[in-house]
Amino acid sequence: MVSSARTLERDLALRRRYRKERFMMGLVGLGTGLAFLVLFLVLAYALAQGASALNLDLFLKDMRPPGETGGGLRQAIVGTLIVDGLGLLIALPFGLAAGILLAEYPDHPINPYLRLLSDTLNGMPAILFGLLAFILIVKPMGGFSGLSGAFALGFLMIPILARSTEGVLSLVPKEIREAGLALGLPRWRVILSLVLPTARAGLITGVLLAFARAAGEAAPLLFTAFGSPLLELNPMKPMDTLPLRLFAFAISPYEDWHRQAWAAGLVLFGLITLTSLLARWASRRRF
Amino acid sequence: MKRLYTHFGDRIFAWALLFLALGVVALALLMAWELYQGGSLALRRFGLWGFALGTEWDPVIQKSFGAWPYILGTLIVSLSALFLSFFPALAAAIFAAEYAPRWLAQTINFLLDLMAAVPSVVYGLWGIFVLAPWIRDRVQLPLYMWAAEQAPWLLPFLGVPTGYGLMTAVLILSAMIVPFTAALARDAIALVPKEHREAAYALGATRWEVMRMAVLPLARGGIIAGAFLALARAVGETMAVTMVIGNSHKLPYTLFGGAATMPSVIANEFTEAVEDLHLSALIAVGFLLFWVSMGVNLAAVYILRRQERLVKGVL
């Protein structure tokens, strides 16, 4: 009965392989669950803790000194928008130009270096951009300021913008450029009047994502924007932002501030989610 | 540059672009130079190696600065976090790219985006108020009680059970870097040509065997690049780590005890540094951090470029 023994052997081997298949599938499923475990826990706690502290005052009033309950985060919300917005203004020309150069002038001798530096700067610790802004802006100006924070975030956004712009422009069909050149348009007109408008939706998405990324940063602002307990609209003065305020509240010993820290987390997370949703919406829409 | 266009406006436009784009180059050079300049006072006083390998960080009495506790802390925290997060991240990538139905794969991609978008301070907040107390009450205290009765010699290695320390930082950090490994691994797996899978299936391989023999070897470069990118993030992660690691000046000699990393010491002490030497020492730590992170990032970029060429070659 040689053949049946061989069949049995093959059968056993097959079963072993199927067992292994099921086992590995189980591991993959388990690992996937584990990967998202902390995310779920963090979001659940932020919602549970932050929701009770959410109210209208949060958006309309400035923070209160320790010991007094109530108050809000107006100064931090406004500050986040100002510092982040100024940062974007600083970063836009440099990031866009680098992206256009990478995508529209593929043979430019500087491109390999530009791409390499953008990629490495993209992975640089955010706090180093803060150090650079401290040395370049805070020291000469003689004090912390919203503007120096904007520079720190701007530095951070430049490489992100460069790479996203390049990615979006490379998706624009070659025919559009050829059509423009065939009509006798100079190249700069082709880029400004044909390529960029075609890619507008994608460009807006990239800008919004860079904004969202910078909005969550606290590290580079610790010693640039520095924070302020009252609403400050002058960028030459220290300014508050949500991540900074959250950090200060979280490491404070006051119960009420801890509650407000969760609320700040929720507002910050809401702001970032809103921006990302806008970005997603923009990428689908034709402008 | 070959001059393809002679139009006057084109030349001005190209020069203007180049001028602005050089901002990226200037940014990188400025960062390296200014950090070196800013840290030169400390680097000259102690020497590069004396500074990097010195174990004494005492801004108040001895005024001596050695960055080794922070370098070691950074290495331990980031490598452990990478080790902990790698397999779950890879599993999520395999699941999303290969096995999940479309809607579930999209959900996973959305969750990965979400995870990368949650600000560092929010992870830190959760660490301070949820994870650290949990570790203190459920892990450290029981361990402490047990050691007090059974093995008193272990006590000095356990540290004071506060909940704030290496272990807590590693756990939070490992969750934070999952999206970086997972996203790149997913893309690398999705890029493996269908023919490779089909050939293996035709030979009668099970789904796992297809994964292990046909897909993973080809996607390896992308997966490794993802791990390096995650490592770079872990090395530079500041706020969450600062909030839970306990910020100790001593060499980290226990898994649960307080420690500090290069970014966390900068974040923690920078606004308190009143003396020039202290400030310079902190900027010098930033200078070292710049090069560590530059090295890890360059490795990731190099591996990724090679991978792209490899996959193109196969296709």
Side-chain angles (χ1 to χ4, degrees):
Chain A
M1 298 304 275
V2 177
S3 70
S4 84
R6 207 172 275 163
T7 320
L8 186 69
E9 213 172 88
R10 209 180 304 157
D11 205 40
L12 280 176
L14 207 58
R15 258 189 233 170
R16 206 166 49 235
R17 288 172 57 204
Y18 277 130
R19 248 202 323 272
K20 183 156 191 196
E21 156 85 12
R22 272 202 305 277
F23 178 70
M24 292 314 292
M25 285 308 108
L27 272 191
V28 165
L30 186 73
T32 308
L34 265 181
F36 298 115
L37 179 67
V38 172
L39 177 71
F40 289 136
L41 289 175
V42 169
L43 290 186
Y45 271 97
L47 281 175
Q49 301 284 324
S52 70
L54 273 186
N55 53 40
L56 212 57
D57 277 0
L58 216 56
F59 301 93
L60 298 177
K61 289 188 176 158
D62 288 349
M63 62 173 279
R64 289 277 187 80
E68 290 177 44
T69 51
L73 294 165
R74 183 180 63 161
Q75 88 285 359
I77 297 170
V78 174
T80 301
L81 295 177
I82 293 179
V83 173
D84 210 1
L86 280 178
L88 195 58
L89 285 183
I90 294 166
L92 258 180
F94 302 102
L96 274 183
I100 295 174
L101 204 63
L102 284 171
E104 301 295 315
Y105 298 79
D107 298 325
H108 201 287
I110 199 182
N111 279 2
Y113 307 101
L114 215 52
R115 200 169 282 130
L116 187 71
L117 287 177
S118 300
D119 281 346
T120 46
L121 282 177
N122 225 331
M124 274 296 152
I127 195 167
L128 292 184
F129 293 101
L131 279 182
L132 187 60
F134 177 86
I135 296 170
L136 292 181
I137 320 284
V138 176
K139 257 189 176 171
M141 266 181 49
F144 303 114
S145 64
L147 187 69
S148 60
F151 268 96
L153 294 187
F155 293 157
L156 183 89
M157 287 189 256
I158 288 175
I160 306 176
L161 283 173
R163 287 302 255 157
S164 76
T165 303
E166 185 201 357
V168 169
L169 293 187
S170 66
L171 292 178
V172 174
K174 219 193 282 170
E175 286 75 11
I176 288 185
R177 301 184 183 92
E178 284 167 358
L181 292 172
L183 288 172
L185 287 179
R187 199 170 187 181
W188 66 274
R189 282 303 303 256
V190 171
I191 293 172
L192 287 183
S193 311
L194 294 177
V195 178
L196 290 184
T198 310
R200 183 159 35 190
L203 292 175
I204 292 174
T205 303
V207 166
L208 287 174
L209 288 179
F211 185 87
R213 163 83 198 282
E217 290 291 350
L221 302 179
L222 286 171
F223 34 79
T224 52
F226 192 70
S228 139
L230 292 173
L231 185 64
E232 182 60 70
L233 297 174
N234 179 359
M236 294 303 169
K237 295 270 176 60
M239 266 188 187
D240 220 18
T241 71
L242 278 167
L244 273 181
R245 187 46 56 198
L246 196 169
F247 176 63
F249 277 175
I251 60 173
S252 79
Y254 308 107
E255 197 66 37
D256 202 51
W257 276 6
H258 294 167
R259 221 168 44 81
Q260 299 245 33
W262 285 105
L266 215 54
V267 174
L268 179 60
F269 187 67
L271 178 73
I272 290 173
T273 315
L274 198 70
T275 317
S276 312
L277 282 178
L278 263 176
R280 210 169 265 239
W281 175 76
S283 73
R284 289 219 191 100
R285 216 184 116 102
R286 295 258 156 265
F287 283 92
Chain B
M1 186 167 86
K2 207 164 32 168
R3 192 181 294 154
L4 292 167
Y5 304 93
T6 47
H7 193 280
F8 183 61
D10 277 339
R11 263 191 280 167
I12 291 187
F13 186 67
W15 279 110
L17 277 184
L18 181 65
F19 177 74
L20 286 173
L22 279 175
V24 176
V25 180
L27 185 58
L29 295 179
L30 259 182
M31 193 182 260
W33 173 245
E34 294 291 350
L35 291 179
Y36 170 73
Q37 274 288 85
S40 65
L41 188 63
L43 288 174
R44 262 206 307 273
R45 171 79 65 90
F46 305 105
L48 179 61
W49 292 111
F51 181 73
L53 299 177
T55 56
E56 202 65 44
W57 183 279
D58 182 356
V60 187
I61 302 161
Q62 296 178 25
K63 311 218 185 299
S64 88
F65 296 95
W68 184 240
Y70 312 123
I71 296 175
L72 195 62
T74 305
L75 287 177
I76 296 175
V77 169
S78 52
L79 288 173
S80 320
L82 180 64
F83 177 76
L84 268 188
S85 74
F86 183 74
F87 290 101
L90 186 59
I94 291 177
F95 191 65
E98 205 82 356
Y99 301 119
R102 211 184 141 85
W103 63 271
L104 200 53
Q106 276 173 348
T107 310
I108 290 180
N109 292 342
F110 171 74
L111 287 178
L112 288 177
D113 284 349
L114 192 66
M115 218 168 178
V118 175
S120 174
V121 275
V122 174
Y123 281 107
L125 186 66
W126 181 78
I128 285 187
F129 292 115
V130 183
L131 186 62
W134 188 85
I135 289 207
R136 183 188 62 211
D137 297 340
R138 296 295 159 87
V139 183
Q140 277 186 288
L141 278 175
L143 211 62
Y144 213 75
M145 305 288 237
W146 173 85
E149 280 180 16
Q150 307 289 331
W153 54 270
L154 251 178
L155 281 178
F157 296 101
L158 286 177
V160 188
T162 59
Y164 300 98
L166 273 179
M167 180 69 130
T168 316
V170 166
L171 284 176
I172 289 194
L173 202 49
S174 64
M176 293 176 71
I177 60 176
V178 159
F180 300 100
T181 317
L184 270 173
R186 178 199 62 203
D187 294 348
I189 290 171
L191 270 179
V192 173
K194 231 195 332 207
E195 290 78 3
H196 268 255
R197 298 185 173 87
E198 283 164 359
Y201 277 125
L203 289 171
T206 64
R207 284 192 303 180
W208 170 247
E209 285 163 351
V210 171
M211 198 72 222
R212 193 173 62 85
M213 296 193 272
V215 177
L216 287 184
L218 259 173
R220 197 177 53 198
I223 295 169
I224 295 173
F228 270 92
L229 223 54
L231 183 64
R233 292 287 165 168
V235 164
E237 177 46 52
T238 310
M239 298 316 293
V241 172
T242 308
M243 287 158 93
V244 299
I245 200 168
N247 300 308
S248 150
H249 287 319
K250 298 204 184 77
L251 277 172
Y253 60 95
T254 78
L255 194 53
F256 294 102
T261 64
M262 288 192 267
S264 81
V265 73
I266 300 173
N268 222 6
E269 292 188 9
F270 204 85
T271 45
E272 291 161 14
V274 278
E275 280 176 52
D276 285 347
L277 188 62
H278 190 188
L279 202 66
S280 172
L282 287 169
I283 296 177
V285 171
F287 179 67
L288 297 182
L289 178 62
F290 174 84
W291 285 111
V292 170
S293 157
M294 190 60 125
V296 180
N297 272 305
L298 281 177
V301 171
Y302 171 75
I303 296 167
L304 207 58
R305 301 263 157 92
R306 213 181 46 179
Q307 169 77 0
E308 272 163 16
R309 279 201 301 275
L310 177 85
V311 173
K312 265 182 205 143
V314 168
L315 288 172

